Amino acid sequence: YARTMDAGYRRDGLLQVHGLVAPQVEPVARSIMDEVRRVPGVTSVARTSIAINPGNNSMTGVRLPGQTDSIQLGVYGMDPYVQDTLGMKLLAGRNFSESVAMDDSTTPTPTDLAAERALAARGTNVVLSEMAAKRLGFASPQAAIGKQVQANILSSEVGGWLPARVVGVVSDVRYRSVRQPLQPIVYFYQRRGNYTPVVRPNGGAKPVRQKVA
């Protein structure tokens, strides 16, 4: 059953590159990703803070404007290439884009309160999983597009809540074991963070794995 059920992504051939999440790797992460893209047989490369069988479980409160109660959603970062690399299904709206400034939720590390205040004043764009959209009360994936939500991901010193607009809804992905409940997720695009590279080869994974390693 675990092998045949729909996990929400393409399992065949997907590679994950471990050991590239250390802070000292961050300055050269983009260059490394560009090098991997040039490896023969690689069709797409992406970075995500959750990946498959993750050892982390990040959650935060998300609510609609005007509400005081929030619901707990998984909160993870992904770049604009994750959807295609994993084979996630876009159910409504669009993917993140490097050319849309409002999609970028990046703030400096360590925490820069001035940068967080600027982000809070500007707002950002997010992508929801299908289950997250349902939990927030939207009747359908399309009904969520363009709607405002608030996510508690900022420092308490700047108020905690970040206003965000839903630009996309994607299929639910079972990142963890079938024994664990499916997690509703709000995705942010951030250019920095403890992200795991994922690689989609065109054909067999073994030749690409040897070259990437």
Side-chain angles (χ1 to χ4, degrees):
Y1 172 72
R3 293 185 177 183
T4 58
M5 71 174 298
D6 183 6
Y9 70 97
R10 287 179 51 211
R11 304 183 191 196
D12 56 298
L14 187 68
L15 300 176
Q16 293 186 171
V17 183
H18 298 286
L20 295 181
V21 296
Q24 58 267 31
V25 176
E26 190 62 42
V28 296
R30 182 175 289 270
S31 297
I32 293 174
M33 298 292 284
D34 289 340
E35 287 295 325
V36 174
R37 286 189 180 96
R38 287 192 283 268
V39 171
V42 170
T43 59
S44 60
V45 182
R47 296 178 77 202
T48 173
S49 66
I50 182 168
I52 308 303
N53 293 322
N56 61 322
N57 185 27
S58 178
M59 299 189 70
T60 194
V62 180
R63 67 190 184 188
L64 301 181
Q67 294 182 340
T68 55
D69 294 332
S70 63
I71 63 170
Q72 289 294 304
L73 299 180
V75 54
Y76 300 100
M78 68 175 181
D79 71 19
Y81 306 100
V82 168
Q83 288 188 31
D84 287 341
T85 303
L86 290 187
M88 300 165 71
K89 300 170 186 173
L90 182 64
L91 304 179
R94 64 172 178 83
N95 188 8
F96 289 128
S97 172
E98 292 180 333
S99 64
V100 179
M102 285 288 289
D103 285 0
D104 191 347
S105 304
T106 307
T107 55
T109 301
T111 300
D112 182 327
L113 294 180
E116 288 200 1
R117 288 190 184 95
L119 181 61
R122 188 204 73 179
T124 194
N125 292 331
V126 296
V127 170
L128 299 176
S129 70
E130 184 177 14
M131 181 179 288
K134 290 178 180 177
R135 292 279 182 89
L136 286 166
F138 298 115
S140 67
Q142 187 60 47
I145 303 303
K147 299 301 192 300
Q148 293 289 324
V149 298
Q150 298 171 340
N152 191 11
I153 66 168
L154 299 178
S155 302
S156 58
E157 292 91 336
V158 299
W161 296 96
L162 174 62
R165 185 170 68 97
V166 180
V167 296
V169 177
V170 295
S171 57
D172 295 316
V173 173
R174 190 171 290 280
Y175 293 102
R176 300 177 176 86
S177 165
V178 295
R179 298 180 181 87
Q180 296 177 278
L182 190 64
Q183 186 177 42
I185 295 174
V186 54
Y187 296 99
F188 290 84
Y189 168 38
Q190 295 175 318
R191 290 176 285 106
R192 291 188 294 272
N194 295 327
Y195 284 12
T196 297
V198 287
V199 181
R200 173 67 62 187
N202 181 17
K206 186 174 180 179
V208 172
R209 184 186 298 113
Q210 292 172 340
K211 293 173 184 175
V212 170

